[in-house]
Amino acid sequence: MSADKNDHSPESHDADHLGHEGHNHGSFKSYMIGFVLSVILTAIPFALVMTGVLPTQATALIVMGFAVVQIVVHMIYFLHMNSKSEGGWIMLALIFTIIVVVIALSGSLWVMYHLNANMMPMTHDMTNMGS
């Protein structure tokens, strides 16, 4: 028998709780925390929209804020992303993805706003143009 099969050191014990290739796959407690937070972060915006207690713009901003927080909760509790995974490359890829998404979304909103502003029919009376 080799010595590493019977190794009961703390390092080998920690490796037993990690998944394939040394990645932490979480525990039941972490999944439940993520689930409860996700339910709360979904229920609050739903209640705000259904009750209409706030103005439309404020509700929209709050819903978007809760959506961003929920994305972070999912990344931490379900995707197990942190700055230590894969030597930091996962975090670098995430930052790059966020930059690309922000550029694509802001560019799309900018184009749609200008199309809307420039393609709207004129509001003045067209019958007086000939005289």
Side-chain angles (χ1 to χ4, degrees):
M1 279 194 167
S2 67
D4 56 344
K5 286 187 181 179
N6 294 327
D7 186 14
H8 295 290
S9 65
E11 293 82 18
S12 67
H13 181 68
D14 290 339
D16 292 341
H17 294 290
L18 299 178
H20 304 289
E21 301 172 6
H23 298 287
N24 188 355
H25 288 285
S27 65
F28 180 75
K29 180 182 175 184
S30 71
Y31 281 115
M32 286 309 296
I33 290 171
F35 175 72
V36 169
L37 287 173
S38 296
V39 169
I40 291 170
L41 292 170
T42 301
I44 292 172
F46 182 80
L48 287 174
V49 170
M50 293 304 291
T51 59
V53 295
L54 297 175
T56 305
Q57 289 179 337
T59 303
L61 289 174
I62 291 171
V63 168
M64 286 188 277
F66 273 90
V68 169
V69 172
Q70 193 167 81
I71 289 170
V72 172
V73 166
H74 284 230
M75 288 184 341
I76 293 170
Y77 288 100
F78 299 122
L79 298 177
H80 311 294
M81 294 181 72
N82 58 31
S83 59
K84 299 172 192 142
S85 299
E86 301 287 334
W89 284 105
I90 290 179
M91 193 58 66
L92 186 63
L94 174 67
I95 291 169
F96 177 73
T97 302
I98 290 171
I99 290 170
V100 170
V101 167
V102 166
I103 290 171
L105 287 175
S106 60
S108 297
L109 291 173
W110 180 72
V111 167
M112 287 188 284
Y113 171 78
H114 283 284
L115 281 174
N116 183 45
N118 293 326
M119 298 298 287
M120 291 299 293
M122 301 185 80
T123 57
H124 66 278
D125 188 16
M126 299 285 284
T127 56
N128 293 335
M129 293 199 56
S131 47

